[in-house]
Amino acid sequence: MNWQMAARAQKMNPSVIREILKVTEKPGIISFAGGLPSPKTFPIAAFAEACAKVLREDGQAALQYAASEGFAPLREMVADMLPWQVDPAQVLITTGSQQGLDLVAKILIDAGSRVLVETPTYLGALQAFTPMEPDIISVACDDEGADLADLTGKASGARFFYVLPNFQNPTGRTMSEARRAALSDQAACLGLPIVEDNPYGDLWFDTPPPLPLTARNPDGCVYLGSFSKVLAPGLRLGFLVAPKALYPKLLQAKQAADLHSPGFNQRMVAEVMKDGFLAHHVPTIRALYKSQRDAMLVALAREMPEDVHWNKPAGGMFLWARLPEGMRAVELLPRAVEKNVAFVPGAAFYADQADERSLRLSFVTASVQQINTGVAALAAAIRESRPSRASPAQEQDERNAATVGAK
Ligand SMILES: Cc1ncc(COP(=O)(O)O)c(C=O)c1O
């Protein structure tokens, strides 16, 4: 049979992370690689109860086809929990926020369209956008978020700027209040639409992050949210909030994709959430992840060579590290796996020029004991793989010899 692939299929790539996750299935591997929430946080008992209740009281509707927009009480709950005025009619329940990215790509990107992303950015977004054949342009970023001068220079004709202001995947960084205000003003001034992805915003450790960009300019933004990190990813439920001008097309794209997200799961989530469940459940996730982050920071400070650097994320699941000069994270990975520890090389998260020295470490799925063992193993792998360097004493001897020679 002569199967001929569409041009868009040729552009699809396997997710590097999923490939690495296969390696991490090897028994005994300590994985800092996956973006998986800690299964300890899944509220299984609450779901068991909600599941029985939904089937008992609303079983026929729960198992029937349903509206593409989503289960009305859940859309209302989503509108109520967001920190700006949201009409439930603007909420579309999606099959994970990953589907939100896919729908946005389908309705906003033509082949050759300019799409702006942060440097680095979420790999799954690059995967969702790429089949639409855009010209993906990276906007330079610092610790506070996007560099606005660079953004302005690249914004002309762009369909949108994809932004992750809170505890970004992969870097864990958070956009400051000042940068949000300036970006929001700048985007409005340029007429540049924003796609704001916020699956980690509730997972702050000390103080909540500043208001979303969408709260500042709802008509200029599509906002994507998720139940994956506050309840469970296996539900495959997320949502988007879209301006009225976009909503009908997103809905049509959703209908073509899957008719609707599972009605049974939507009812279970609404049942679990209805009496303010998240208000006491989410703080338990924050406390767990904060203690895991702290354990990783302590282990890194204890184990790593001086010229390895990392940041201190204020929430979320990831920490971003940088290897010494001359090292590449992709080359380190097999050495680390030999020592039973895995991570994701940062290069996977760049739309263009990658920082080969960067790597992403998840601190939420490994136990504190595994974090200690894994970080020590990673530090050992770095020491063994680094380009051979003379000892400080040898270096001093060489410098002395050179000085003598020069005289
Ligand atoms: C930044 C970002 N956006 C979207 C998603 C997709 O989440 P989900 O489809 O589970 O809601 C993820 C998952 O890790 C993510 O990190």
Side-chain angles (χ1 to χ4, degrees):
M1 199 53 68
N2 187 17
W3 296 108
Q4 191 176 341
M5 293 284 171
R8 86 181 65 82
Q10 318 266 13
K11 307 231 168 195
M12 294 173 186
N13 287 312
S15 159
V16 177
I17 298 181
R18 299 217 166 269
E19 296 302 306
I20 291 172
L21 285 178
K22 285 186 202 153
V23 174
T24 65
E25 280 158 19
K26 190 180 125 186
I29 281 265
I30 296 173
S31 178
F32 302 140
L36 312 179
S38 167
K40 286 187 209 157
T41 67
F42 301 158
I44 294 171
F47 274 110
E49 211 176 296
C51 178
K53 189 160 177 214
V54 166
L55 284 176
R56 195 171 57 241
E57 294 179 6
D58 203 14
Q60 291 189 339
L63 297 174
Q64 187 53 282
Y65 283 119
S68 305
E69 290 87 341
F71 182 50
L74 185 61
R75 294 168 77 203
E76 280 162 28
M77 285 178 194
V78 167
D80 283 348
M81 73 190 187
L82 292 171
W84 72 96
Q85 186 75 34
V86 175
D87 179 350
Q90 287 173 259
V91 176
L92 179 63
I93 303 295
T94 55
T95 304
S97 56
Q98 187 65 31
Q99 183 179 53
L101 292 167
D102 182 62
L103 302 180
V104 162
K106 283 182 176 145
I107 72 149
L108 291 180
I109 304 176
D110 287 313
S113 298
R114 173 173 283 237
V115 167
L116 306 181
V117 298
E118 294 174 311
T119 309
T121 191
Y122 170 52
L123 176 61
L126 295 175
Q127 282 192 299
F129 301 159
T130 300
M132 299 299 121
E133 304 178 71
D135 188 7
I136 300 182
I137 312 271
S138 288
V139 173
C141 292
D142 59 25
D143 292 344
E144 291 186 37
D147 174 332
L148 297 189
D150 194 49
L151 174 73
T152 306
K154 292 172 174 170
S156 176
R159 294 289 168 94
F160 60 84
F161 180 26
Y162 170 64
V163 196
L164 300 116
N166 296 325
F167 325 126
Q168 199 227 27
N169 182 2
T171 61
R173 75 179 164 224
T174 296
M175 195 183 292
S176 67
E177 167 62 36
R179 192 66 62 86
R180 287 175 205 232
L183 170 58
S184 189
D185 288 352
Q186 188 73 353
C189 180
L190 294 164
L192 173 67
I194 286 184
V195 175
E196 178 173 28
D197 193 4
N198 188 23
Y200 303 100
D202 289 317
L203 306 181
W204 46 268
F205 298 152
D206 296 311
T207 48
L211 273 182
L213 296 161
T214 309
R216 297 154 207 260
N217 182 13
D219 280 339
C221 304
V222 176
Y223 180 89
L224 306 176
S226 177
F227 294 106
S228 293
K229 310 298 179 334
V230 291
L231 287 173
L235 295 161
R236 303 311 303 129
L237 284 181
F239 55 90
L240 62 78
V241 181
K244 292 204 161 72
L246 293 189
Y247 194 94
K249 281 292 161 204
L250 287 164
L251 184 61
Q252 287 161 27
K254 163 96 185 147
Q255 283 164 353
D258 63 356
L259 303 181
H260 62 83
S261 298
F264 181 56
N265 294 9
Q266 293 187 61
R267 279 176 172 75
M268 277 204 304
V269 166
E271 179 59 34
V272 164
M273 287 193 352
K274 77 173 190 290
D275 295 321
F277 177 81
L278 290 183
H280 58 87
H281 179 61
V282 175
T284 64
I285 308 177
R286 287 180 197 136
L288 176 69
Y289 288 6
K290 182 181 176 180
S291 68
Q292 306 264 120
R293 176 207 60 177
D294 289 345
M296 188 171 272
L297 289 174
V298 169
L300 288 165
R302 188 179 57 233
E303 305 289 348
M304 284 293 162
E306 251 177 23
D307 48 357
V308 175
H309 300 285
W310 57 90
N311 62 358
K312 182 183 176 187
M317 300 179 12
F318 306 111
L319 183 149
W320 191 241
R322 198 142 191 268
L323 296 171
E325 183 141 16
M327 288 192 72
R328 296 176 70 229
V330 271
E331 284 163 9
L332 176 67
L333 183 61
R335 306 291 291 269
V337 169
E338 273 168 30
K339 294 188 181 298
N340 287 333
V341 61
F343 60 85
V344 183
F349 303 99
Y350 290 82
D352 40 43
Q353 191 70 36
D355 176 358
E356 300 281 356
R357 286 162 63 185
S358 60
L359 54 102
R360 189 190 76 177
L361 300 174
S362 160
F363 47 81
V364 303
T365 27
S367 67
V368 168
Q369 199 194 345
Q370 287 174 321
I371 287 175
N372 286 329
T373 313
V375 169
L378 184 57
I382 293 173
R383 286 201 174 83
E384 284 170 26
S385 332
R386 65 187 311 154
S388 59
R389 229 178 42 165
S391 71
Q394 280 170 324
E395 277 176 5
Q396 191 55 47
D397 286 349
E398 279 165 21
R399 272 198 296 276
N400 291 344
T403 318
V404 171
K407 277 179 189 163

